[in-house]
Amino acid sequence: MKLSRPVSWFLLAFGAWSWVIWTTFVKNLWQDGSGLAFDDAGDPTGYFWVHLMLAVTSFLLGTAVGVIGFRGVRALRRTAGGSA
């Protein structure tokens, strides 16, 4: 299957964007002072674990999407370089 140049770049950008957004989210989650992520004893709450799992899942999916986009961009460059 061949991906078009715009689709490949979109997937690559989406993968990178996912890492930027979720890294920021995890940092904010870890430093939460509102009492949602950690109880009064400093132990993680259910809110913390659910959102950490969402972030891990998003990291994995973002990485997979980014890798697909990267491979598409790389394949397009090889095709363009080989035919010139």
Side-chain angles (χ1 to χ4, degrees):
M1 181 172 127
K2 281 179 110 175
L3 298 174
S4 69
R5 185 176 312 279
V7 169
S8 296
W9 278 106
F10 174 78
L11 294 175
L12 183 58
F14 184 86
W17 176 254
S18 188
W19 269 87
V20 169
I21 291 300
W22 286 99
T23 299
T24 303
F25 180 83
V26 169
K27 284 174 29 183
N28 290 337
L29 181 66
W30 204 266
Q31 298 169 356
D32 177 59
S34 69
L36 286 173
F38 298 97
D39 61 16
D40 293 334
D43 296 327
T45 62
Y47 177 91
F48 173 84
W49 291 114
V50 166
H51 286 83
L52 184 63
M53 291 310 300
L54 285 172
V56 168
T57 302
S58 294
F59 283 134
L60 294 173
L61 291 174
T63 299
V65 167
V67 166
I68 292 168
F70 177 74
R71 288 181 177 176
V73 168
R74 193 174 60 181
L76 287 168
R77 286 188 177 168
R78 256 186 282 157
T79 302
S83 64

